[in-house]
Every structure is written in C-alpha cells, then in structure tokens.
C-alpha cells in the first residue's frame, strides 16, 4: 500500500513552519503524529502536494501547569503521553482515560492530541471531554497568535477554522469551578473501536444543587455537540435520579445522529440517553474521573 | 535534514541514518517511504511484517524509543534520531529472549505472521511492568491481531515468561511423573 508523491518539509522551528505554510502553493498538509494523515493518504482520500512535518517543534511535546492559565498541553503530546501524565491523571482523569482507550498502544504512541483535534472528526475521543472542561486552543500563524474556545474551532466533519499558515500549538484546560467530569464511550469492541456514541459531562454541584453542567455528545452530529437543553434542564436542580433522567432524555432529543455501519440513528439516540445518565451520575458522585 | 538528491523527474530522495537494533544504517528513502518498507526492502529486516498497512493489525510493530508503534504509520524520514528495535534485535547474542522461548514452549505460534509484533508488544510490556496481570497482558497485545490462536496460548506464554517459567510443558510433564 503506497502513498502519493509529495514534497516533504521539516521546518526547524515554529516561525519557519508558519512562514513555510504561508508561502507554499497547492495542497498543503501538516504532519503531526501521522496516524490520521498516513491513513488518509493510503486509502486515497488525501493527496497533498506538500507535507509539512512538525517533528522539530520539540517544545510542543510538553504538558505543564501555568498559574492563571491552567493545564497547558503541547499539541504534539501523544495520546500515550496524555495517558501517562501525572498532572492530568491527578486533575482530570477522564482525559487520560479517553486518550488511553481510543486506540491500541501502537497508535496511542503515534497519534497526537493536536492531530486528533485538527482532524475534526465528529467521533474523535478527545474533543468532547475537552469541550466539557472548557478547553481552548492556541493557533499561531505568520502574523501572530489567537486563542479560541475548542468548541468554536471545529465547525464540521473534517472542518476547522484553522488558516493555511496556522499551527495549533497548545490546548489549555482552565482552572475549574466544576466539581466533577467524566467521559463515557460506547464502541463495538473492547479495544480500538471507534465511538458509536460518546458523552462527556462536567458538572458543578454545590450543597446538593447542580449550579452548572456541560454535556458534550460525540459521534451524533457533524461536530462534538453541546446538549444545551439537557444542560439547561439541570441548572438549579437538586441532584436526583429524576433530574438526571430528564437531562438524559433532553440530551437524546438534542442529538442529531445519522445511521451508518456502526449503528442506526434510533439506536444512537437511545445510547445518548443511557450514556448521558451514566456520565452525569459518575461526574456528580465521583468527581473528576 | 541531511543530503537530498533530486532525480530528473523532480522526485527527492533523502539520505537518512536509522538507528536499528544497535546499528546505524545510512539509506536513501523517498519522502513517502514508510518505516516498514525501509526496514524490509532496504535493510532486509523482513521480520517486520506488512499486514493491513493501515495501523490496525500490528504485524508491523517495532519498538520506537522503547515504545511499540505501527511502523506502517511512520515515515522513514521521521524515524531519524530515534532508537528502533525490530524482532531481529530481540534475541541477544544468539539466544532467544524469554518471551520468544516461552512462545515456543506454549505452542503460541501457528501461522506466525503476528508473532514478531506480538513478541515486541510483550517485550515493551515486560520492560515497563515485569509482573503484569492477565488483563494487563491482554491490553498490551490488543493492537496485535492473531487470526489463528484465539490468544490463549499467547497470553499464557507472556505470563510464563514474566514468571521466568521457561521449562517446556513436555519436560514439566516428565518431571512430574509424566502425563504422556
């Protein structure tokens, strides 16, 4: 299985990379880990004229905590790197677990968090929990940088707002007011299966009352979808089975699934209800897990 | 990057140095040559198998800085400067690794196509975690698909290797008075 010919570039630093991306004509693809890009080139859905590798941008391989900003994750951290990060395991265990269970070891050692986001797949595992935690992304281009909520970054299947000369450099999870968060995924196998449905939830519970909730649905809309009526239904309610059931039903109504080889729309809608219920219960009872 | 040679059609080839099984190899590759193909076609390390070539089956597994990766999902030009171990580099000084010996003892090899990748995934696991549980073994080899064995003998072989239990089953039966 061979890939099309393209010109390979490996700029030495971020400024060079942005300059190069701005100058190159034709179809240009940025290479992070390669687990998506190589796959697409092999099956023939991607045939770039230029491939720009980020392998020399070593500063994007770090995870650190910055006072006032939160947890800063370099875009080139691999899924395995996220799984093994003590900082992330202590604060938001759901993110390391989402990274760990998304694929087999040979892929989690290659794929990166930045690639997972820029790929823009509606069934990607990291965006739902990151959106639930209010994460933002930093984009650096020739003329400067901008920071925007991840929720506004992905706009359709495989579509993001990134400009030709921009590189996603950091994902930032802000300090949380939330008291719990979790990510639940339903796949057709135990290992390496794509999500049929996934649900991320982040809740703020004060004295038995839900003061805030974010629920993000994966694989049931063109983008990771905020279940806004489900979120609204929880606000100000006392924690109860009835409140959770009501929110789960609202999330199912919020979802816009399609039928494909992994499941029918009807089946997916029911899965959204069941997994929203489980995710909310877990985030409320167990904290950031 | 090192030297680039452009042919008359404008296709570029890169002179790269790969660090494989403790040796340095300088080879010429195209920008779209996968690590699998460079290892097999240029270094004759054909123990790294081409299976699905899409990152699903794990038959092309190599250790990349000690971690298992699918070499079909890695460009050769991206492997420069990293430490690569293929199945040919697992047996030290002509002696099989404990995992390899254990796979033989437990008849964990049938057609054998998945075996190199299976051994390397197990090797990475036992290096990091010398005494894994059965679920940990199963998780570690989840990216290595075997269509012959049903995995039972493979899992037993890895667990036996982790215990240092390398006496072949037949010999054990003889010592215990012999079932057969």
């Amino acid at each position: 299985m061979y890939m099309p010919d393209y010109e390979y570039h490996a700029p030495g630093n971020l400024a060079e990379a942005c300059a190069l991306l701005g100058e190159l004509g034709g179809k240009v693809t940025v290479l992070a880990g390669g687990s998506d890009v190589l796959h697409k080139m092999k099956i023939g859905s991607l045939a770039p004229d230029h491939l720009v590798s980020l392998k020399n941008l070593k500063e994007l391989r770090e995870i650190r905590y910055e006072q006032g900003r939160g947890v800063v994750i370099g875009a080139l951290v691999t899924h395995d790197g996220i799984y093994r990060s003590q900082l992330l395991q202590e604060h938001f265990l759901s993110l390391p677990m989402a990274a760990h269970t998304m694929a087999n070891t040979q892929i989690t050692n290659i794929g990166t968090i930045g690639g997972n986001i820029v790929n823009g797949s509606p069934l990607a595992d990291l965006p739902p929990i990151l959106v639930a935690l209010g994460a933002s992304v930093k984009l650096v281009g020739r003329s400067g940088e901008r920071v925007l909520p991840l929720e506004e970054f992905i706009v359709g299947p495989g579509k993001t707002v990134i400009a030709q000369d921009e590189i996603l450099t950091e994902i930032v999870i802000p300090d949380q007011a939330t008291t719990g968060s979790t990510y639940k995924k339903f796949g057709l196998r135990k290992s390496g299966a794509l999500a049929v449905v996934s649900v991320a939830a982040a809740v703020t519970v004060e004295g038995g009352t839900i003061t805030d909730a974010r629920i993000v649905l994966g694989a049931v809309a063109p983008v990771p979808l905020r279940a806004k009526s489900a979120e609204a239904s929880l606000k100000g309610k006392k924690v109860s089975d009835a409140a959770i059931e009501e929110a789960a039903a609202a999330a199912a109504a919020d979802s816009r699934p399609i039928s494909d080889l992994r499941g029918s729309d009807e089946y997916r809608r029911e899965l959204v209800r069941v997994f929203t219920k489980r995710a909310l219960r877990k985030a409320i009872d167990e904290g950031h897990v | 990057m090192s030297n680039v040679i452009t042919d008359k059609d404008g296709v570029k080839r890169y002179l790269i140095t790969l660090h494989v099984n403790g040796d340095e190899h300088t080879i010429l590759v195209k920008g779209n040559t996968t690590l699998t193909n460079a290892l097999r076609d240029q270094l004759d390390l054909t123990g790294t198998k081409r299976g699905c070539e899409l990152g699903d089956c794990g038959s092309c597994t190599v250790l990349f800085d000690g971690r298992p990766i699918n070499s079909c999902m890695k460009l050769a030009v991206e492997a420069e400067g990293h430490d690569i171990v293929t199945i040919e580099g697992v047996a030290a000084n002509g002696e099989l690794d404990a995992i390899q010996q254990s796979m033989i003892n437990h008849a964990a090899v049938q057609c054998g196509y998945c075996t190199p990748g299976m051994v390397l995934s197990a090797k990475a696991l036992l290096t990091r975690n010398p005494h894994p549980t059965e679920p940990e073994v199963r998780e570690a080899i989840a990216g290595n698909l075997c269509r012959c064995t049903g995995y039972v003998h493979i899992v037993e072989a890895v667990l036996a290797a982790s215990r240092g239990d390398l006496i072949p089953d037949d010999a054990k039966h003889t010592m215990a008075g012999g079932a057969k």
Side-chain angles (χ1 to χ4, degrees), chain A residues 2-4 6 8 28-48 50-54 107 110-112 114-116 118-119, chain B residues 31 53-54 72-75 78:
Chain A
Y2 292 89
M3 289 180 281
Y6 48 75
Y8 173 82
V28 182
T29 296
V30 173
L31 177 69
S35 53
D36 280 315
V37 168
L38 266 66
H39 191 278
K40 284 180 184 166
M41 290 196 294
K42 287 182 177 199
I43 63 171
S45 67
L46 179 70
H50 299 277
L51 194 67
V52 178
S53 167
L54 304 184
I107 292 297
I110 289 180
T112 65
N116 194 252
V118 176
N119 195 37
Chain B
E53 297 188 61
L54 287 170
C72 73
M73 286 284 125
K74 183 64 83 179
L75 295 177
E78 300 264 299

Side-chain angles (χ1 to χ4, degrees), chain A residues 123 185-188 194-198 218-220 260 262-264 267-268 271:
Chain A
L123 42 78
K185 165 186 176 176
F186 180 78
L188 296 178
L194 297 172
V196 179
V197 159
S198 65
V220 290
D260 65 12
R262 279 182 286 276
S264 67
Y267 180 50
R268 280 196 163 98
L271 286 173

Side-chain angles (χ1 to χ4, degrees), chain B residues 30-145:
Chain B
K30 284 169 60 179
N32 63 3
T33 304
T34 60
L35 180 56
T36 312
N37 288 352
L39 292 169
R40 288 179 58 86
D41 301 343
Q42 304 211 41
L43 301 184
D44 269 347
L45 295 171
T46 53
T48 302
K49 302 302 181 197
R50 275 196 284 260
C52 71
E53 297 188 61
L54 287 170
D56 286 320
C57 79
S59 63
C60 67
T61 300
V62 300
L63 300 186
F64 197 78
D65 297 329
R67 299 182 184 283
I69 67 159
N70 287 322
S71 61
C72 73
M73 286 284 125
K74 183 64 83 179
L75 295 177
V77 284
E78 300 264 299
E80 221 180 1
H82 295 273
D83 185 39
I84 298 157
V85 175
T86 70
I87 191 65
E88 290 87 349
V90 173
N93 306 318
E95 229 176 85
L96 292 182
D97 184 86
I99 297 163
Q100 293 172 307
Q101 186 58 55
S102 192
M103 298 274 278
I104 295 168
N105 293 351
H106 288 81
V109 180
Q110 287 188 27
C111 90
Y113 208 81
C114 72
T115 310
M118 207 60 95
V119 169
L120 286 163
S121 287
K123 182 79 186 159
L125 170 69
L126 296 192
T127 303
R128 194 179 70 237
N129 175 5
H131 301 290
T133 61
E134 186 188 324
E136 284 170 339
V137 171
R138 287 186 175 275
E139 187 181 85
I141 62 167
N144 296 90
L145 303 187

Side-chain angles (χ1 to χ4, degrees), chain A residues 45 96 104 171 212 246 253:
Chain A
S45 67
N104 61 56
I171 297 91
D212 200 8
E246 189 191 335

